[in-house]
Amino acid sequence: MNNTVYVCCGTGCLASNSMEVYKELKRFIEMYNVNAEVKTLIKATGCNGLCEKGPLVKIEPHNICYSKVKPEDAEEIVLKTLIESELIERLLIYDTIKKKRVISHKDTDFYKYQQKIALRNIGEIDPANINDYVERGGYLALEKILTEMTPEEVIAEIERSGLRGRGGGGFPTGLKWKQCDLIENFPKYVICNGDEGDPGAFMDRSIMEGDPNTIIEGMTICAYAIKSNTGFIYIRDEYSLALKNMRLAIKQAKERGFLGGNIMGSSFDFDIEIVRGGGAFVCGESTALMQSIEGNVGEPRAKYIHSVERGLWDKPTILNNVETWANIPKIIMKGSDWFNTIGTDNSKGTKVFSLVGKVKNTGLVEIPMGMTLRDLVFKVGGGTIGDKRFKAVQTGGPSGGCIPESLLDSPVDFDSLKKAGSMMGSGGIIVMDERTCMVDVARYYLNFLSEESCGKCVACREGIKRMLEILTDICNGNGTESDLDLLESLCHTVESASLCGLGKTAPNPVLTTLKYFRDEYLAHINEKRCPAGVCKNLTSFEIDKQKCTGCGVCAKNCPTSAITGEIKKPHIIDTSLCIKCGNCYDVCRFDAVKIAKGVSV
Amino acid sequence: MKIIIDGKVCIAQKGEMLLQIAKRNNIFIPTLCHSEALPGPGSCRLCVVEIEDGGRKSIVASCIYPVRREIKVFTDSEKIKAIRKDLLMLLYARTPEDETINNLRKEYGVPDKIRFSGDKEEHCILCGLCVKACEEMGSNSISTIMRGVTKKVSTPYDEPSSSCIGCGSCAYVCPTDAIEMIERDGIRTIWNKDFELVKCEKCGKAFATKDQLEYNRKKLSENHLDVYCETCKRVITGEKLRDIYQP
Ligand SMILES: Cc1cc2nc3c(=O)[nH]c(=O)nc-3n(C[C@H](O)[C@H](O)[C@H](O)COP(=O)(O)O)c2cc1C
Ligand code: SF4
């Protein structure tokens, strides 16, 4: 039987040395001449999503998945698994919920609840080889529309599917295409938004790196539908692997006749050019992105006239997000009825999230819309690290909101997240536990936004600056209760008077924390206390003599040696040396370290 | 097409900007960054109004909102007043000593003492009109640099710009007189650069810089241009016309 060994070479795994693993495996397979009995092929694939367990090595068709593989493990894998068909227990993934090792990554809860549409090929194909994509049904959707469907039928099919944009706003994709199609003004343009400016997000990067052809196919289908001949893919400069794989895919697609002139023998021409972006967060906003392609400073313009009518160079333009594009070929192939069976009434299909923060399983996940936040955090994510008390989940990127425990049973879809004061955004999910200060979280995001606002309009630029000032004061212990009213008023002004989506959504982190965690704000203001033990001026750590067993773990973990005590006797913290890092609190197994009010020195 | 602004029926052309229509109908909407000659920055946000379009209410910047349907507009509702008050408080915090901003903020009830403080020397509200004016002149000597809270208007690398002709268009359009332009002993100083001033051959007023006239001459590809100020130019043209038609 032929064995195929897949080595994940997404950015996450590459960073943990997967290229070395790949080389070593290749070397040992040749050295032991595995080819003689077992034909083995090594492939470099895109991201599997389970990045924190990388580098991942999969062995098919046995469905074996090894995690955290080191180059030194290569020889053993070849000898034991490939030649002797034995499992190497130590390399199997440990499922944090089942509390045992599992053979295939697909057996873990992390994967079990997922459903892959946009990520269907990621980790399964070699992105540098278009044949892999074609073997898995790639470009059949393009062939289907070119031979069997009229442009109007394509638009109608996408409209019926209920697909909504995955880049933030959730605008119905089919409707966007239809509006653009109705405008008689040529040329028209098709753009892929691969700017992905949310810090910590990497779903779009993974698709561009791991399955670039699906984007090309999606865009070409749209171009046929709205009668466009030119497309642009906007990729931020730091995404070097995405740029490389995307370029290669375009070249190969042209060679194979899937792109360029007379596509697949039809008379339809479409070409795609890659544009590299400087990487400002605001350049992901549609109108700023178009400004940037035109060579201007990436500043948004008012959208009173939509881009479908007047976009790039004032011509009708369709701009969709990477993940939106990745859904298109699959919808065309399997039909809108199939797509309609997945998700909720108003949010069809799946959504890719990058799950990070204080959660056991971090990485990329694609789940059907409608799964509850609780399942996303506790089943897919495996719960909080160290089983600490869950506090909130932040969705939607820097201008999303923080959703508390009480709303964890809301389904993950566009409307429910919005109702909770947050948003889908591009799909960042950050899990926060009891050691996260919600005032500090709001401050953190506003600080990011104050630097990333383009600075054009007064409401956003000056409003965010002053809100940040208030939040910083509260974190430092200089806030007053009247500050909260002022904050709320500023939130409403910034939200309603800003020009673009950045300003309009910037108050979300403040509004949601004020709404769901007001007691934390009040503790900072009235008691000069940070309940999470984060804001340094308002925090001190104390050891409870009754509970301390004198195990000494805290003292070992204290970076400034501020903790002293004899073994088996209660320890004490020297507040003059303490830098309030909270290590002692986090490592104590006897609940003996307490978070107290700040002490003025 | 008819739209209703604050209860008043107004005639509008499709695509016309809302602010324009309001103005024509003597409905006052405050603005800072709006200039008839340089439309479109939409940055000061003071001109926001509430609109009702098919039952849906939203807030838009009237200077850049093209009217396309029969909408209802509210230019001075409680909501709008509250937004303008906040915006003026923010501008006042940025430019505490600026006269234009102080007059406006008093009008909208922003008290003297506010929670925030700002640089007493600052007058620029970053509306962007100066940059547009300079672009329009074709000399592109100033631009906004950086983004977010650090954004500012400057010449390249804060050095005197080689392309600046000292025409002062930027200073003339500035709503808060934030651009320093000093004229002394026949020399105009602006953006850290000195320019020789030229006098009108008719009335003797120093009205333009030498670089500016040279720039215009090249732009029009003329060998010689008469050196008259705007007022005298008008008078001279009028006299010529009179000579032709009423000899
Ligand atoms: C400040 C800001 C940043 C944005 N960044 C991105 C981004 O990085 N990627 C993206 O696809 N959309 C981003 N968007 C949303 C885009 O403006 C646009 O709505 C989206 O790309 C449309 O595609 P879709 O309909 O497929 O979602 C951003 C929006 C704002 C306001
Ligand atoms: S809302 Fe912010 S980011 Fe958007 S145009 Fe205004 S200043 Fe720029």
Side-chain angles (χ1 to χ4, degrees), chain B residues 101-110 112:
Chain B
I101 299 300
N102 267 291
N103 289 341
L104 267 168
R105 65 107 185 145
K106 280 179 205 154
E107 205 177 300
Y108 277 86
V110 179
D112 276 347

Side-chain angles (χ1 to χ4, degrees), chain A residues 392-527:
Chain A
V393 52
Q394 204 272 354
T395 77
S399 43
C402 297
I403 300 172
E405 161 107 57
S406 60
L407 294 177
L408 267 188
D409 290 311
S410 6
V412 178
D413 63 36
F414 289 104
D415 308 309
S416 309
L417 289 177
K418 191 154 183 198
K419 211 173 116 202
S422 185
M423 58 185 196
M424 185 75 91
S426 55
I429 298 261
I430 302 170
V431 178
M432 298 168 175
D433 67 14
E434 55 183 340
R435 284 278 279 132
T436 316
C437 167
M438 300 317 281
V439 188
D440 182 60
V441 163
R443 189 198 56 77
Y444 170 83
Y445 285 115
L446 280 234
N447 185 47
F448 175 85
L449 293 166
S450 76
E451 286 166 6
E452 291 299 324
S453 145
C454 81
K456 179 171 168 175
C457 59
V458 172
C460 172
R461 184 189 66 236
E462 304 294 331
I464 293 178
K465 173 180 164 166
R466 299 303 177 173
M467 288 200 282
L468 174 61
E469 206 173 305
I470 297 177
L471 291 168
T472 308
D473 281 349
I474 297 178
C475 287
N476 288 336
N478 301 323
T480 61
E481 261 193 66
S482 63
D483 279 348
L484 300 186
D485 298 332
L486 184 55
L487 258 184
E488 259 162 12
S489 171
L490 284 174
C491 281
H492 290 123
T493 296
V494 174
E495 201 172 47
S496 36
S498 288
L499 187 135
C500 86
L502 190 148
K504 283 184 200 302
T505 55
N508 283 341
V510 185
L511 284 171
T512 49
T513 49
L514 268 176
K515 180 167 172 193
Y516 302 125
F517 302 95
R518 201 177 188 91
D519 53 333
E520 278 194 45
Y521 279 85
L522 292 174
H524 282 73
I525 292 170
N526 295 335
E527 301 164 40

Side-chain angles (χ1 to χ4, degrees), chain B residues 131-141 163 165 167 215 219:
Chain B
V131 175
K132 269 201 147 207
C134 189
E135 250 172 47
E136 207 63 24
M137 279 303 295
S139 81
N140 287 311
S141 309
S163 62
I165 51 171
C167 70
Y215 178 83
K219 202 159 125 185

Side-chain angles (χ1 to χ4, degrees), chain A residues 115-156:
Chain A
Q115 182 172 4
K116 308 258 183 175
I117 298 176
L119 301 180
R120 65 195 178 279
N121 290 325
I122 314 273
E124 310 284 336
I125 63 167
D126 177 357
N129 186 346
I130 194 171
N131 290 329
D132 268 31
Y133 181 68
V134 173
E135 262 170 38
R136 285 177 61 98
Y139 290 109
L140 283 179
L142 181 61
E143 188 182 337
K144 179 173 170 182
I145 61 140
L146 288 177
T147 53
E148 296 170 22
M149 294 169 82
T150 64
E152 292 72 32
E153 282 168 349
V154 174
I155 293 173

